[in-house]
Amino acid sequence: MDNNDLQHLTEEISATYFDRRFEHKAYFNHRLKTTGGRYLLNSHNIEINEKQFIKYGESAIIDIIKHELCHYHLHIQGKGYKHKDSDFKCLSKQTGAPRFCTPLENYEERANYIYKCKKCEVEFLRIRKVNTNKMVCGKCRGKLIQVEN
């Protein structure tokens, strides 16, 4: 699937589920890492995480497009387009748009650091580096040491 296919798919989903036209651009953004897609308020364009398509296929992309189109159409109409707004929750429910997309990696895969307690020898996985001078073991309050990087 390329950007032209994504544009046509977005226009089709907009017409089918929202009975409205999508008049802006939808394209893949390979720089997205933690989100499935995003709606840009200033340009009204929709960016989709290409890695979601590679890993989960077209059905995942359809769900992400539905979610982003909820933001799009509500913002264009001047209604509540944020996740916390009742308009957004109602439209998401009507169209079957999911609240979250499936994560690309779980916490264990994303963890960059492993720490071990000197006292009870419990291991802790962390994505970010921990200051071992300040942080202690949550189980026994023992001193932590970095095992792997």
Side-chain angles (χ1 to χ4, degrees):
M1 179 179 280
D2 63 357
N3 286 334
N4 289 331
D5 296 334
L6 182 65
Q7 180 71 32
H8 293 300
L9 181 63
T10 305
E11 291 169 0
E12 184 182 306
I13 290 170
S14 183
T16 305
Y17 290 93
F18 298 89
D19 291 326
R20 295 183 174 276
R21 290 188 54 186
F22 176 71
E23 298 176 349
H24 292 86
K25 292 182 181 174
Y27 52 89
F28 286 114
N29 183 346
H30 66 277
R31 293 182 315 268
L32 294 178
K33 298 216 185 292
T34 59
T35 183
R38 66 180 170 188
Y39 164 64
L40 303 171
L41 293 172
N42 293 332
S43 64
H44 303 295
N45 293 336
I46 292 176
E47 296 179 337
I48 302 296
N49 187 340
E50 191 172 25
K51 295 174 192 95
Q52 285 283 335
F53 175 70
I54 293 166
K55 188 164 184 179
Y56 298 112
E58 191 172 326
S59 62
I61 295 299
I62 290 170
D63 287 342
I64 293 168
I65 291 170
K66 282 188 208 175
H67 177 93
E68 299 308 327
L69 282 172
C70 288
H71 291 297
Y72 171 81
H73 288 299
L74 291 170
H75 183 247
I76 297 288
Q77 295 171 18
K79 295 180 179 178
Y81 61 89
K82 297 179 182 176
H83 291 119
K84 64 182 178 181
D85 295 328
S86 60
D87 291 330
F88 181 83
K89 290 178 183 176
C90 182
L91 186 59
S92 293
K93 196 172 189 178
Q94 286 175 358
T95 58
R99 179 102 161 88
F100 301 103
C101 66
T102 309
L104 291 168
E105 298 175 317
N106 60 21
Y107 192 86
E108 288 79 21
E109 292 170 335
R110 292 174 54 210
N112 297 319
Y113 302 97
I114 300 175
Y115 295 93
K116 190 173 187 176
C117 175
K118 279 186 173 179
K119 198 173 182 181
C120 67
E121 299 187 356
V122 173
E123 288 190 349
F124 298 93
L125 298 174
R126 292 292 175 262
I127 294 172
R128 292 184 176 182
K129 197 166 190 170
V130 170
N131 184 349
T132 55
N133 294 327
K134 291 183 179 179
M135 302 300 283
V136 294
C137 176
K139 299 196 184 296
C140 71
R141 306 198 49 81
K143 184 162 177 56
L144 296 177
I145 56 170
Q146 186 174 343
V147 177
E148 279 184 39
N149 200 7

mmCIF file of all heavy atoms in Angstrom, residues 97-112:
data_model
loop_
_atom_site.group_PDB
_atom_site.id
_atom_site.type_symbol
_atom_site.label_atom_id
_atom_site.label_comp_id
_atom_site.label_asym_id
_atom_site.label_seq_id
_atom_site.Cartn_x
_atom_site.Cartn_y
_atom_site.Cartn_z
ATOM 1 N N ALA A 97 -14.862 3.071 15.906
ATOM 2 C CA ALA A 97 -13.449 3.458 15.948
ATOM 3 C C ALA A 97 -12.872 3.105 17.317
ATOM 4 O O ALA A 97 -13.441 3.465 18.340
ATOM 5 C CB ALA A 97 -13.302 4.955 15.698
ATOM 6 N N PRO A 98 -11.746 2.405 17.351
ATOM 7 C CA PRO A 98 -11.167 2.017 18.640
ATOM 8 C C PRO A 98 -10.516 3.199 19.350
ATOM 9 O O PRO A 98 -10.132 4.181 18.722
ATOM 10 C CB PRO A 98 -10.113 0.989 18.244
ATOM 11 C CG PRO A 98 -9.721 1.370 16.867
ATOM 12 C CD PRO A 98 -10.961 1.926 16.227
ATOM 13 N N ARG A 99 -10.403 3.088 20.646
ATOM 14 C CA ARG A 99 -9.766 4.142 21.449
ATOM 15 C C ARG A 99 -8.250 4.116 21.274
ATOM 16 O O ARG A 99 -7.611 5.141 21.237
ATOM 17 C CB ARG A 99 -10.143 3.917 22.918
ATOM 18 C CG ARG A 99 -9.548 4.890 23.874
ATOM 19 C CD ARG A 99 -10.550 5.944 24.301
ATOM 20 N NE ARG A 99 -10.122 6.601 25.518
ATOM 21 C CZ ARG A 99 -9.329 7.665 25.545
ATOM 22 N NH1 ARG A 99 -8.867 8.155 24.437
ATOM 23 N NH2 ARG A 99 -8.994 8.224 26.684
ATOM 24 N N PHE A 100 -7.666 2.917 21.186
ATOM 25 C CA PHE A 100 -6.225 2.755 21.030
ATOM 26 C C PHE A 100 -5.931 1.763 19.909
ATOM 27 O O PHE A 100 -6.744 0.900 19.625
ATOM 28 C CB PHE A 100 -5.585 2.218 22.313
ATOM 29 C CG PHE A 100 -5.799 3.080 23.515
ATOM 30 C CD1 PHE A 100 -6.731 2.734 24.473
ATOM 31 C CD2 PHE A 100 -5.066 4.248 23.681
ATOM 32 C CE1 PHE A 100 -6.937 3.528 25.580
ATOM 33 C CE2 PHE A 100 -5.267 5.046 24.783
ATOM 34 C CZ PHE A 100 -6.204 4.693 25.738
ATOM 35 N N CYS A 101 -4.743 1.879 19.326
ATOM 36 C CA CYS A 101 -4.316 0.870 18.358
ATOM 37 C C CYS A 101 -3.472 -0.171 19.075
ATOM 38 O O CYS A 101 -3.039 0.027 20.203
ATOM 39 C CB CYS A 101 -3.543 1.510 17.209
ATOM 40 S SG CYS A 101 -1.977 2.231 17.678
ATOM 41 N N THR A 102 -3.231 -1.273 18.424
ATOM 42 C CA THR A 102 -2.424 -2.341 18.994
ATOM 43 C C THR A 102 -0.970 -1.882 19.059
ATOM 44 O O THR A 102 -0.430 -1.412 18.056
ATOM 45 C CB THR A 102 -2.518 -3.602 18.116
ATOM 46 O OG1 THR A 102 -3.894 -3.898 17.880
ATOM 47 C CG2 THR A 102 -1.858 -4.784 18.785
ATOM 48 N N PRO A 103 -0.325 -2.004 20.209
ATOM 49 C CA PRO A 103 1.074 -1.547 20.302
ATOM 50 C C PRO A 103 2.004 -2.380 19.426
ATOM 51 O O PRO A 103 1.792 -3.575 19.234
ATOM 52 C CB PRO A 103 1.428 -1.732 21.783
ATOM 53 C CG PRO A 103 0.278 -2.378 22.430
ATOM 54 C CD PRO A 103 -0.839 -2.499 21.460
ATOM 55 N N LEU A 104 3.026 -1.723 18.906
ATOM 56 C CA LEU A 104 3.998 -2.409 18.059
ATOM 57 C C LEU A 104 4.933 -3.295 18.876
ATOM 58 O O LEU A 104 5.334 -4.353 18.440
ATOM 59 C CB LEU A 104 4.827 -1.388 17.268
ATOM 60 C CG LEU A 104 4.060 -0.630 16.195
ATOM 61 C CD1 LEU A 104 4.878 0.535 15.672
ATOM 62 C CD2 LEU A 104 3.684 -1.559 15.064
ATOM 63 N N GLU A 105 5.283 -2.832 20.076
ATOM 64 C CA GLU A 105 6.164 -3.601 20.948
ATOM 65 C C GLU A 105 5.595 -3.573 22.364
ATOM 66 O O GLU A 105 5.024 -2.566 22.777
ATOM 67 C CB GLU A 105 7.559 -2.970 21.002
ATOM 68 C CG GLU A 105 8.280 -2.913 19.692
ATOM 69 C CD GLU A 105 9.595 -2.154 19.813
ATOM 70 O OE1 GLU A 105 9.629 -1.108 20.460
ATOM 71 O OE2 GLU A 105 10.568 -2.657 19.246
ATOM 72 N N ASN A 106 5.785 -4.652 23.090
ATOM 73 C CA ASN A 106 5.362 -4.638 24.486
ATOM 74 C C ASN A 106 6.481 -4.036 25.340
ATOM 75 O O ASN A 106 7.554 -3.712 24.845
ATOM 76 C CB ASN A 106 4.971 -6.046 24.965
ATOM 77 C CG ASN A 106 6.111 -7.032 24.867
ATOM 78 O OD1 ASN A 106 7.273 -6.659 24.810
ATOM 79 N ND2 ASN A 106 5.766 -8.306 24.860
ATOM 80 N N TYR A 107 6.232 -3.902 26.623
ATOM 81 C CA TYR A 107 7.182 -3.233 27.510
ATOM 82 C C TYR A 107 8.529 -3.947 27.537
ATOM 83 O O TYR A 107 9.579 -3.302 27.527
ATOM 84 C CB TYR A 107 6.602 -3.149 28.928
ATOM 85 C CG TYR A 107 7.377 -2.227 29.830
ATOM 86 C CD1 TYR A 107 7.104 -0.864 29.862
ATOM 87 C CD2 TYR A 107 8.400 -2.710 30.642
ATOM 88 C CE1 TYR A 107 7.827 -0.012 30.674
ATOM 89 C CE2 TYR A 107 9.125 -1.862 31.458
ATOM 90 C CZ TYR A 107 8.828 -0.510 31.478
ATOM 91 O OH TYR A 107 9.555 0.331 32.271
ATOM 92 N N GLU A 108 8.515 -5.264 27.551
ATOM 93 C CA GLU A 108 9.762 -6.032 27.608
ATOM 94 C C GLU A 108 10.632 -5.779 26.376
ATOM 95 O O GLU A 108 11.855 -5.724 26.464
ATOM 96 C CB GLU A 108 9.489 -7.532 27.762
ATOM 97 C CG GLU A 108 8.971 -7.944 29.126
ATOM 98 C CD GLU A 108 7.489 -7.670 29.303
ATOM 99 O OE1 GLU A 108 6.763 -7.527 28.290
ATOM 100 O OE2 GLU A 108 7.055 -7.565 30.459
ATOM 101 N N GLU A 109 10.002 -5.641 25.223
ATOM 102 C CA GLU A 109 10.750 -5.384 23.993
ATOM 103 C C GLU A 109 11.305 -3.959 23.954
ATOM 104 O O GLU A 109 12.349 -3.715 23.372
ATOM 105 C CB GLU A 109 9.866 -5.627 22.769
ATOM 106 C CG GLU A 109 9.490 -7.077 22.576
ATOM 107 C CD GLU A 109 8.430 -7.273 21.509
ATOM 108 O OE1 GLU A 109 7.648 -6.350 21.236
ATOM 109 O OE2 GLU A 109 8.401 -8.376 20.948
ATOM 110 N N ARG A 110 10.588 -3.043 24.579
ATOM 111 C CA ARG A 110 11.000 -1.644 24.574
ATOM 112 C C ARG A 110 12.038 -1.329 25.647
ATOM 113 O O ARG A 110 12.713 -0.306 25.574
ATOM 114 C CB ARG A 110 9.787 -0.744 24.783
ATOM 115 C CG ARG A 110 8.821 -0.770 23.616
ATOM 116 C CD ARG A 110 7.565 0.016 23.886
ATOM 117 N NE ARG A 110 7.849 1.374 24.299
ATOM 118 C CZ ARG A 110 7.070 2.078 25.103
ATOM 119 N NH1 ARG A 110 5.976 1.555 25.593
ATOM 120 N NH2 ARG A 110 7.393 3.308 25.433
ATOM 121 N N ALA A 111 12.162 -2.188 26.650
ATOM 122 C CA ALA A 111 13.066 -1.918 27.772
ATOM 123 C C ALA A 111 14.521 -1.889 27.314
ATOM 124 O O ALA A 111 14.987 -2.790 26.628
ATOM 125 C CB ALA A 111 12.881 -2.968 28.858
ATOM 126 N N ASN A 112 15.216 -0.832 27.709
ATOM 127 C CA ASN A 112 16.618 -0.654 27.349
ATOM 128 C C ASN A 112 17.566 -0.984 28.497
ATOM 129 O O ASN A 112 18.752 -1.196 28.272
ATOM 130 C CB ASN A 112 16.872 0.789 26.911
ATOM 131 C CG ASN A 112 16.088 1.152 25.679
ATOM 132 O OD1 ASN A 112 15.979 0.361 24.761
ATOM 133 N ND2 ASN A 112 15.532 2.344 25.661
#
